[in-house]
Amino acid sequence: MDQSSAPKPIRCRAAVCRAGGEPLRIEEVVVAPPKAYEVRIKIICTSLCHSDVTIWSIKNPAGFPKIFGHEAVGAVESVGEHVEEVSVGDTVLSCFLAHCGDCVDCRSVRSNVCTGVPLGLADGVMPRDGTSRFTDASGAPVQHFLNVSSFSEYTVVDVTRVVKVAAAMPPEKACLLSCGVSTGVGAAWKVAAVEPKSTVAVFGLGSVGLAVAEGARLQGAGRIIGVDLNPDKFEIGKTFGVTDFVNPKDIGDRSISEVIKEMTGGGADYCFECIGLASLMSDAFQSCRPGWGKTVILGVEMQFSPVSINSVEILQGKTIMGSLFGGIKAKTDIPILMNRYLNKELHLDEFITHEVGFHDINKAFELMMAGKSLRCIIWMDR
């Protein structure tokens, strides 16, 4: 590349977190040019995911300063060497999980966990060379988050973590497919392979849980039982296919599994744990049907506690499995989800409960912490 036309560093605004639990600060940062296999993106809009809030709340000085955000859509501003699948001006969405297409995992239908460009959840740097593309006003490095860092007007992402957005796709709807909605829909579609007319129980009706219900609805499930402590979630859940609702506070001395077994005549065909509590994972497993019941774990255990499973139930044919990003292979499966939205099959609009400008980004955190939002879209130009 001619040196005169090579991408230069860009000064822009970013919402920087200096310490866990503290409000984000809008600061000027410098975003370095993309290196080989990298793409620099001008963010159009981004959204707040519960994973951002979880890590933001950790009081660990070693993890900061950091730029959060990983659900986003933007325009390609420049590309590094060896980038061929996207060009300057293309609209793309970001993904925290790579899809290189070449490693044994990407070539297999059995896995979506790319080993060609590993996940590196806690690294805070670019995956290929172990350095950051962000520096603050004093020249000190700022850490990346989940390989994306979309709470910045510009960011740099590995090409294995971007997907082209269809021209007809509204950016704020495409943004939702970067993580949460794809994770839930994919868990029902790709991981569990929910069968038509089957019974499904979803433990936790946040954005991911509602997306699981949506995925089960698309798969033709006959009955979808939502389990949540918030009674308002039943009305919300109906939009995404929830047919029945269980509030653990309203079942007296009975266990959740007893209630679900009674409702389903022996246990649900598929159970999904979407909160991240070992006790709830056990409840979900106990609630699925002996012989063929599947329990899918989507939540990361909040206290890092082990899950206790009765081996006799395993011997009866019940299975338990994990799901990262809903088994979604970004570059092949997300275009399918975009088409399903454009064909008016997949519900996305209903996940967006709030929209704010970039300067009000802390409002998005307040809304999620208060349990008032599913997804808050953050527009960079507002």
Side-chain angles (χ1 to χ4, degrees):
M1 181 181 296
D2 187 316
Q3 199 62 31
S4 62
S5 61
K8 304 292 192 298
I10 288 178
R11 291 183 179 274
C12 69
R13 295 181 304 160
V16 179
C17 184
R18 290 283 169 182
E22 290 188 358
L24 309 188
R25 306 177 190 175
I26 303 298
E27 301 182 14
E28 182 181 87
V29 298
V30 176
V31 185
K35 295 186 179 181
Y37 302 102
E38 295 177 356
V39 179
R40 189 161 61 186
I41 302 167
K42 186 180 190 299
I43 300 297
I44 296 170
C45 63
T46 181
S47 57
L48 180 65
C49 174
H50 201 273
S51 298
D52 297 297
V53 176
T54 298
I55 304 303
W56 164 79
S57 64
I58 295 175
K59 306 294 193 295
N60 176 16
F64 300 92
K66 186 187 296 292
I67 297 174
F68 285 102
H70 61 285
E71 294 187 343
V73 167
V76 175
E77 178 273 336
S78 57
V79 300
E81 293 182 330
H82 311 304
V83 172
E84 299 177 353
E85 66 179 88
V86 297
S87 304
V88 172
D90 285 346
T91 302
V92 296
L93 64 79
S94 60
C95 290
F96 73 94
L97 193 63
H99 183 188
C100 75
D102 295 323
C103 70
V104 63
D105 295 272
C106 285
R107 294 196 306 269
S108 172
V109 297
R110 295 175 294 180
S111 173
N112 71 327
V113 183
C114 176
T115 47
V117 187
L119 185 54
L121 282 175
D123 293 346
V125 291
M126 295 298 290
R128 296 183 191 261
D129 73 349
T131 63
S132 174
R133 298 293 171 271
F134 298 108
T135 51
D136 64 15
S138 66
V142 179
Q143 293 191 29
H144 294 248
F145 178 68
L146 282 183
N147 305 294
V148 177
S149 290
S150 57
F151 294 168
S152 173
E153 290 179 309
Y154 289 85
T155 191
V156 177
V157 180
D158 196 272
V159 70
T160 58
R161 291 181 161 96
V162 297
V163 177
K164 282 187 181 181
V165 173
M169 191 75 185
E172 72 276 17
K173 308 307 189 307
C175 182
L176 302 177
L177 298 176
S178 290
C179 180
V181 173
S182 292
T183 294
V185 172
W189 166 37
K190 303 280 289 184
V191 178
V194 168
E195 295 176 321
K197 300 183 180 179
S198 59
T199 57
V200 171
V202 183
F203 291 74
L205 295 180
S207 293
V208 172
L210 292 170
V212 169
E214 174 70 0
R217 181 190 69 81
L218 290 170
Q219 290 291 105
R223 194 174 188 185
I224 302 172
I225 303 166
V227 181
D228 202 284
L229 293 169
N230 183 349
D232 296 336
K233 290 296 180 73
F234 188 27
E235 284 303 314
I236 298 169
K238 288 178 181 178
T239 301
F240 303 101
V242 175
T243 58
D244 301 85
F245 184 74
V246 175
N247 188 331
K249 294 187 295 187
D250 298 336
I251 61 177
D253 295 333
R254 293 186 299 167
S255 67
I256 297 173
S257 60
E258 287 174 329
V259 172
I260 290 178
K261 285 176 181 178
E262 181 180 305
M263 294 173 69
T264 58
D269 300 313
Y270 304 93
C271 291
F272 298 85
E273 198 280 342
C274 306
I275 298 294
L277 288 172
S279 59
L280 203 56
M281 295 173 189
S282 180
D283 287 338
F285 183 73
Q286 292 170 22
S287 300
C288 73
R289 178 177 296 276
W292 64 71
K294 288 184 180 178
T295 299
V296 181
I297 305 300
L298 289 84
V300 177
E301 218 295 322
M302 298 179 192
Q303 312 299 329
F304 302 103
S305 300
V307 181
S308 178
I309 299 297
N310 188 327
S311 61
V312 174
E313 296 193 68
I314 292 282
L315 292 173
Q316 291 177 346
K318 297 166 68 168
T319 58
I320 185 167
M321 60 189 73
S323 173
L324 181 64
F325 196 36
I328 293 290
K329 291 180 182 288
K331 295 180 188 292
T332 53
D333 293 331
I334 288 179
I336 293 172
L337 295 177
M338 284 192 277
N339 285 334
R340 298 202 75 173
Y341 171 77
L342 294 172
N343 290 333
K344 303 187 184 307
E345 300 169 20
L346 172 66
H347 293 145
L348 289 179
D349 301 42
E350 295 82 357
F351 283 98
I352 300 174
T353 54
H354 298 81
E355 301 183 47
V356 299
F358 187 43
H359 64 283
D360 282 332
I361 191 168
N362 286 303
K363 181 68 174 178
F365 279 75
E366 292 168 9
L367 289 165
M368 182 166 282
M369 295 282 285
K372 295 180 179 179
S373 71
L374 293 177
R375 280 295 184 268
C376 181
I377 298 296
I378 302 157
W379 293 95
M380 304 304 288
D381 61 352
R382 295 184 187 174

